[in-house]
Amino acid sequence: GENVEQHPSTLSVQEGDSAVIKCTYSDSASNYFPWYKQELGKGPQLIIDIRSNVGEKKDQRIAVTLNKTAKHFSLHITETQPEDSAVYFCAASSAGNKLTFGGGTRVLVKP
Amino acid sequence: DAMVIQNPRYQVTQFGKPVTLSCSQTLNHNVMYWYQQKSSQAPKLLFHYYDKDFNNEADTPDNFQSRRPNTSFCFLDIRSPGLGDAAMYLCATSRDATGQETQYFGPGTRLLVL
């Protein structure tokens, strides 16, 4: 089955700096890669996603890149703000729409 | 706003006492999922319904059951909760199951087993 590795597990950045989270996956059949933000005590919220026919996607301060050959994808957050502090999960979706999640990255943005 | 609703947000039960968690959706999505999330871990899929078709994950304990009486509602039944079942339970929906459909999560129900 699919296996998703996510790094780093924790990330501390100064407000205004950029944050980068990287994920690798194992199943070449995976073709949809969402990123979720989860705040304490809440459910995961989709922040951006990318499909296998696209190499990069951007939404304001958030961008995701996908390298299907190398089987890795990354989340980039620019101009970080304290409200960006949360746990971020990458995921890969394959047949049957099953999501396999990475282990999560706890991001702390210091004012 | 269309959304995924979970009730209750917090549930306390006793060891071995059956408990039911509920999920409803106003998105009119075909697929509903139940995940278990333990502290500092990623969500783990327990099972999902595609319309009325139930799909159980191979490693989901028999202690966990689910019902979907109609498109809008789905229930998670834990027949005999153990201490290890204390977790956040997340419901999610997707329009279809093509492999590229976004899953939308509810706020979760945190279960405490005493």
Side-chain angles (χ1 to χ4, degrees), chain A residues 31-32 36 38 41-46 49 51-53 89 93-99 101-104 106, chain B residues 9 33 35 37 40-43 45 48 57 88 90 94 96-107 110:
Chain A
N31 54 13
Y32 173 62
Y36 288 90
Q38 187 173 27
K42 298 183 178 180
Q45 295 297 306
L46 180 77
D49 56 12
R51 289 171 172 82
S52 59
N53 58 343
F89 290 99
S93 178
S94 55
N97 220 52
K98 289 188 178 182
L99 285 181
F101 286 89
R106 184 174 299 277
Chain B
R9 295 295 313 279
Y33 309 80
Y35 289 84
Q37 186 178 28
S40 301
Q41 296 183 19
L45 182 65
H48 74 277
E57 292 301 297
M88 173 80 93
L90 296 163
S94 67
D96 215 315
T98 61
Q100 295 201 26
E101 295 289 338
T102 299
Q103 290 190 26
Y104 297 92
F105 284 83
R110 183 164 295 281

Side-chain angles (χ1 to χ4, degrees), chain B residues 20-36:
Chain B
T20 295
L21 310 182
S22 71
C23 176
S24 63
Q25 53 127 343
T26 61
L27 297 158
N28 203 32
H29 282 175
N30 287 319
V31 193
M32 296 186 77
Y33 309 80
W34 278 105
Y35 289 84
Q36 180 192 64

Side-chain angles (χ1 to χ4, degrees), chain A residues 6-78:
Chain A
Q6 182 172 347
H7 298 281
S9 56
T10 60
L11 181 59
S12 182
V13 296
Q14 206 67 38
E15 182 177 359
D17 288 350
S18 295
V20 180
I21 304 171
K22 298 183 178 182
C23 290
T24 60
Y25 62 99
S26 61
D27 187 354
S28 57
S30 291
N31 54 13
Y32 173 62
F33 307 91
W35 285 88
Y36 288 90
K37 175 184 179 182
Q38 187 173 27
E39 297 176 336
L40 192 63
K42 298 183 178 180
Q45 295 297 306
L46 180 77
I47 56 171
I48 197 167
D49 56 12
I50 191 166
R51 289 171 172 82
S52 59
N53 58 343
V54 176
E56 184 174 355
K57 184 177 178 180
K58 188 174 181 180
D59 182 3
Q60 298 182 358
R61 297 186 295 109
I62 296 172
V64 57
T65 59
L66 171 65
N67 183 327
K68 283 224 75 179
T69 303
K71 293 189 213 162
H72 65 71
F73 56 114
S74 301
L75 178 72
H76 304 251
I77 306 173
T78 58

Side-chain angles (χ1 to χ4, degrees), chain B:
Chain B
D1 285 341
M3 56 196 304
V4 182
I5 303 160
Q6 290 189 246
N7 286 306
R9 295 295 313 279
Y10 300 92
Q11 177 74 56
V12 181
T13 191
Q14 292 179 334
F15 182 94
K17 185 175 181 181
V19 65
T20 295
L21 310 182
S22 71
C23 176
S24 63
Q25 53 127 343
T26 61
L27 297 158
N28 203 32
H29 282 175
N30 287 319
V31 193
M32 296 186 77
Y33 309 80
W34 278 105
Y35 289 84
Q36 180 192 64
Q37 186 178 28
K38 295 191 174 181
S39 183
S40 301
Q41 296 183 19
K44 179 179 181 294
L45 182 65
L46 295 173
F47 27 59
H48 74 277
Y49 272 95
Y50 184 95
D51 195 10
K52 295 181 180 179
D53 293 333
F54 178 70
N55 298 272
N56 198 31
E57 292 301 297
D59 56 355
T60 298
D62 293 339
N63 198 26
F64 292 87
Q65 305 284 321
S66 186
R67 296 170 284 133
R68 190 179 184 186
N70 53 52
T71 300
S72 301
F73 285 87
C74 195
F75 300 98
L76 170 62
D77 300 309
I78 308 177
R79 292 191 298 183
S80 182
L83 298 178
D85 296 328
M88 173 80 93
Y89 290 88
L90 296 163
C91 174
T93 73
S94 67
R95 187 174 59 92
D96 215 315
T98 61
Q100 295 201 26
E101 295 289 338
T102 299
Q103 290 190 26
Y104 297 92
F105 284 83
T109 294
R110 183 164 295 281
L111 178 68
L112 180 62
V113 182
L114 301 178

